[in-house]
Amino acid sequence: MTMVFAERLREAMIDRGLKQVDLVRAAEERGVRMGKSHISQYVSGKTMPREDVLAFLAGELKVDAAWLRGEQPSPHAGADGKADGKPASDGDGSLPSPVPASTRTAPSGEASSSSDDDYPKRRRTFGKSRKLDNVLYDVRGPVADEAMRMEAAGTHILKLNIGNPAPFGFRTPDEVVYDMAHQLTETEGYSPSKGLFSARKAIMQYAQLKHIPNVTIEDIYTGNGVSELINLSLSALLDAGDEVLVPSPDYPLWTACVNLAGGAAVHYVCDEESEWYPDIADIRSKITDRTKAIVVINPNNPTGALYPREVLQEIVDVAREHQLIIFSDEIYDRLVMDGLEHVSIASMAPDLFCVTFSGLSKSHMIAGWRVGWMILSGNKRIARDYIEGITMLANMRMCSNVPAQSIVQTALGGHQSVNDYIVPGGRVRDQRDLVYEMLNDIPGISAVKPKAAFYIFPKIDVKRFNIRSDEKFALDLLHDKHILISHGGAFNWHKPDHFRVVYLPRMTMLRETMGDIADFFSDYWQA
Ligand code: PLP
């Protein structure tokens, strides 16, 4: 019955054009206790709702509660009694009148063979793939949707939810823009699928500077941002049930892509008490004979942590012991503060197969141009077949954006303007210090000082504010102060006690915003 209910619920939602977030919002407005986790369990067929919640859903979706419950066959049921239709509302919001039991419509997608021409044919509808059932990408999820709705209604929202430097006045270096313009007419055709020679040569030289071993020009693949390559590299590797160790909190694309590729993301904890470094004991405890790889995000989004050599060595030791691939996401490696040095983990693992990801979205403030790359290194012999799969997928998407590839050499060579942002007096560094101090001054909030990137992941004393849902907290802050942050759950952090702030706005704006957040917490009590 649960599965029939789930199927009918999904169908009715599609018919009404309602998303889970719409139903959650309606429930909140009507005082019905039904949160996001409840509705997602109903939709995936894990549980049935209580009667009052079921009645509420039936009312919102304008379908018959009995039909939705799945207890009685639909009036449109086929000869086998299996429901293939549902009573529809007559448009004024009232529930449908009974339909003669003899009336039949054809299953979804088929033309009706009804003998009763008075009865409307059932419309074919299209749902999303089941492959997306375990995929979550809440950084642009329900809270961001609500912010967009508010903006469309004329409210100004300060967005501290996406690491997108350009809207905050971080400008692309002039030379990079000039070179792109200069080469535009020469970059109209496809490039080789791995990328232009000049771009890959520059990335290869960058890999040399980072001491990444055994890298030839053939081991470099450019992509439409690191995002495309995360998806591509996992799709080429994983079979159903393969496990990949992913940090918690993580940049959620990693978890999403592991699951989308049919694998299972197994989260290892990063420990706030130890500067958010990966908990090696936890990593060890989560390894099974299905574990194929470990993902390291260093510098880290959302915590801003930078892992020292000793921590990286422990990860290499575990990977070596269990013969794991290391995927290292290093997109923030040029945004490191306090005079610290970023170490590429691949440089410490010449005997293992490593894939290192980076790009220009953050260091060159050109997130919109979509320039990323991945570097295969170390022991490539053990991954020959996998590399064939990677190349096949890279060929299938033809190539990455060619005008954007044409500036990689310019961007990686010569003066690195990003360096001016991360030293004392530089925007990123000063903004980091301000946000760190102002957040820690709020009673009930504490945050570890970020060492890199432009994120901070503060902890909330949930008892003090009665916080049980971090998503609700994010919505309340949005409604009250018009500030959009990302709740910790969006980063696969499984307690409701964290949120992420992107500290890209200028000092004046940040100071005002942090003041507003302090004001919000001064009397917040989650209802
Ligand atoms: N990896 C991490 C850790 C990120 O934070 C981001 C973007 O925020 C990406 C990858 C995606 O970057 P790109 O713009 O290159 O797709």
Side-chain angles (χ1 to χ4, degrees), residues 225-227 251 297 301 329 331-332 361-362 370 455:
V226 166
S227 305
Y251 174 61
I297 304 174
N301 175 7
D329 182 340
I331 192 162
Y332 299 100
S361 291
K362 316 293 177 173
R370 315 305 298 125
Y455 309 103

